[in-house]
Amino acid sequence: MPEIAAAIMPIAGHIDPVPVPRAVAPREDGRVDLVGLNKAELREALLSAGMEPRQAKLRSKQIWHWIYNRGATEFSAMTDIAKVQHPWLEARFVVGRPEVVEAQVSSDGTRKWLLRSPDGQDYEAVFIPDADRGTLCVSSQVGCTLNCTFCHTGTMRLVRNLTAGEIVGQVMLARDALGEWPSQPEGRMLTNIVMMGMGEPLYNFENVRDALSVVMDGDGLALSKRRITLSTSGVVPMMARAGAEIGVNLAVSLHAVTKEIRDEIVPLNRKYGIEELLQACADYPGANNARRITFEYVMLKDKNDSDAHAHELVRLLKHYKLPAKVNLIPFNPWPGAAYECSTPERVRAFSDIVFAGGISAPVRTPRGRDIDAACGQLKTAAEKKSRAQLDREAVEAALVAAE
């Protein structure tokens, strides 16, 4: 298949557009995937397909319930919809799931899925179980454009934004894998969502917003906004809008307290500096002591982990009067990385200084390292292969199957 010529994808807010070499291709069968549509969009999809308005109003409510409360993927399972209508729906619509290319389970129970879209793009999602919660780490883009030097995902090229349906689809797939249908608030394993997977969520604002509105809808998946965290590397112009239009918890990938170091490891800092970023945090709607902003700080040996850096971190957060928590993240190594992880003693000393300053600074326990599912490690193995190599492998597989 020839590659689509490079295009510019407009992004909401006064920020630079992101070049993406591939657009989202429609399904080959022409059907519309209903996953990710909100209630009004689902009803409109039925109307556009020719369903009578009163029928569309009723059927959209029923289908919504079956998709998000019961986890149904086939219209034939929707028993309160007349059987004679099932073929009409099946010919025009699908209740999709991302294709699972590979599913891995870590020795600590962490699960990672390598997923593939209908147009052949790969992305990843990770489920992290804990004693009192289960957190799904969700991707927002195929690849990333930020080039953070400590992050394996940041070494990927950006292919395209994920659609709202592809973002919601990661949640649906995890619920399938965990056996959590019908949907109910109590007894869930999947209790929290973090937008911390591949990509920068605020560079895909509309799709992330629309996906999370579906996830938070009380008639469906019904995850509270207090159980959802959106992480950004500091796309300052979009932060206030995220607070106003999405309203979930905010996490900021800070990782350094000086311009020189943050310019190096988080290049976005050259556009939106630390002071501008922290002021945007101070202005974030809904932030208070009960809903603190989380600052992520990866611990890099001899780079950002000195006592002086810890004291400066405390000073900055207090200067901006931020209701803050700092997550100290031991660096997760990957082949070719230019950094090493700080020693456990250095991490503890850093944490003690921040705690002494009156700011919570727990050390995050690395999860899923053995399957490259830990923080900063997400990078699909398939991305390392060229398009021609993938095509050759597909042909070889077909020949083997034919023998």
Side-chain angles (χ1 to χ4, degrees):
M1 182 183 294
E3 291 199 356
I4 298 172
I8 298 296
M9 177 176 290
I11 293 181
H14 301 294
I15 56 178
D16 295 335
V18 176
V20 290
R22 291 194 182 126
V24 182
R27 291 179 57 92
E28 290 186 2
D29 61 13
R31 294 189 293 172
V32 174
D33 194 338
L34 298 180
V35 172
L37 301 185
N38 63 32
K39 291 174 179 174
E41 290 169 337
L42 199 160
R43 181 181 176 187
E44 182 57 38
L46 298 178
L47 289 169
S48 297
M51 186 176 284
E52 187 270 329
R54 289 181 64 184
Q55 275 282 310
K57 182 178 180 179
L58 171 63
R59 297 305 181 206
S60 63
K61 291 179 180 179
Q62 293 171 319
I63 292 170
W64 174 277
H65 175 82
W66 280 103
I67 292 175
Y68 295 113
N69 269 278
R70 306 302 294 268
T73 57
E74 301 292 339
F75 293 106
S76 58
M78 302 181 184
T79 53
D80 55 356
I81 296 177
K83 288 184 178 180
V84 295
Q85 205 158 44
H86 292 167
W88 187 90
L89 291 167
E90 289 164 359
R92 292 160 176 80
F93 304 106
V94 63
V95 182
R97 293 291 189 271
E99 175 191 352
V100 179
V101 178
E102 185 176 16
Q104 296 175 275
V105 181
S106 167
S107 58
D108 63 22
T110 298
R111 302 186 186 202
K112 182 173 81 167
W113 295 278
L114 170 59
L115 307 174
R116 182 164 295 160
S117 65
D119 63 342
Q121 305 303 337
D122 293 341
Y123 52 102
E124 292 173 325
V126 175
F127 176 72
I128 306 162
D130 280 307
D132 61 342
R133 70 177 63 191
T135 302
L136 183 68
C137 182
V138 175
S139 292
S140 58
Q141 295 180 308
V142 181
C144 190
T145 188
L146 294 180
N147 300 315
C148 297
T149 55
F150 63 88
C151 180
H152 200 193
T153 311
T155 66
M156 295 180 68
R157 64 190 177 91
L158 176 70
V159 178
R160 67 167 172 83
N161 287 334
L162 292 177
T163 66
E166 289 166 336
I167 295 169
V168 175
Q170 296 171 64
V171 183
M172 304 295 282
L173 178 79
R175 294 284 294 274
D176 291 347
L178 296 170
E180 298 204 334
W181 304 111
S183 180
Q184 55 186 17
E186 302 302 324
R188 289 176 174 171
M189 291 178 65
L190 198 171
T191 61
N192 293 66
I193 288 176
V194 292
M195 296 299 305
M196 295 182 184
M198 294 167 59
E200 164 55 62
L202 295 187
Y203 275 157
N204 187 18
F205 179 82
E206 279 87 357
N207 287 333
V208 168
R209 175 198 62 201
D210 295 349
L212 291 181
S213 73
V214 170
V215 170
M216 293 186 290
D217 192 296
D219 293 330
L221 295 173
L223 265 80
S224 164
K225 65 176 58 179
R226 294 180 179 274
R227 291 189 172 270
I228 300 174
T229 300
L230 184 150
S231 177
T232 179
S233 289
V235 185
V236 169
M238 299 303 298
M239 289 171 61
R241 190 172 169 196
E245 296 183 31
I246 305 176
V248 296
N249 300 317
L250 180 69
V252 175
S253 295
L254 188 61
H255 306 308
V257 293
T258 69
K259 173 176 169 52
E260 178 185 12
I261 297 173
R262 196 164 192 268
D263 279 356
E264 173 192 337
I265 64 178
V266 186
L268 186 64
N269 194 70
R270 301 168 194 166
K271 186 172 181 65
Y272 308 114
I274 292 174
E275 291 79 9
E276 189 177 1
L277 171 59
L278 294 179
Q279 185 59 56
C281 291
D283 297 337
Y284 187 74
N288 55 52
N289 288 328
R291 294 187 66 193
R292 296 173 295 177
I293 294 174
T294 299
F295 290 91
E296 296 156 334
Y297 199 99
V298 65
M299 300 299 294
L300 304 174
K301 184 178 179 181
D302 300 329
K303 175 60 66 174
N304 65 351
D305 63 351
S306 70
D307 286 0
H309 293 139
H311 286 295
E312 177 63 6
L313 177 58
V314 172
R315 188 195 70 80
L316 283 169
L317 297 181
K318 289 196 167 185
H319 175 76
Y320 286 91
K321 298 181 174 63
L322 288 168
K325 170 187 173 183
V326 179
N327 268 346
L328 299 180
I329 307 168
F331 173 63
N332 293 306
W334 43 270
Y339 305 103
E340 297 178 42
C341 183
S342 306
T343 66
E345 295 77 18
R346 182 91 297 270
V347 175
R348 178 53 56 197
F350 194 102
S351 174
D352 288 345
I353 290 170
V354 180
F355 265 116
I359 297 168
S360 177
V363 179
R364 183 185 295 175
T365 303
R367 301 292 300 273
R369 274 184 168 176
D370 56 325
I371 57 171
D372 289 338
C375 182
Q377 287 187 316
L378 293 190
K379 179 182 170 76
T380 61
E383 191 270 344
K384 300 174 185 176
K385 302 178 182 179
S386 68
R387 179 68 49 177
Q389 183 179 351
L390 291 170
D391 290 342
R392 282 196 300 273
E393 290 178 1
V395 171
E396 290 168 2
L399 291 173
V400 170
E403 291 178 352

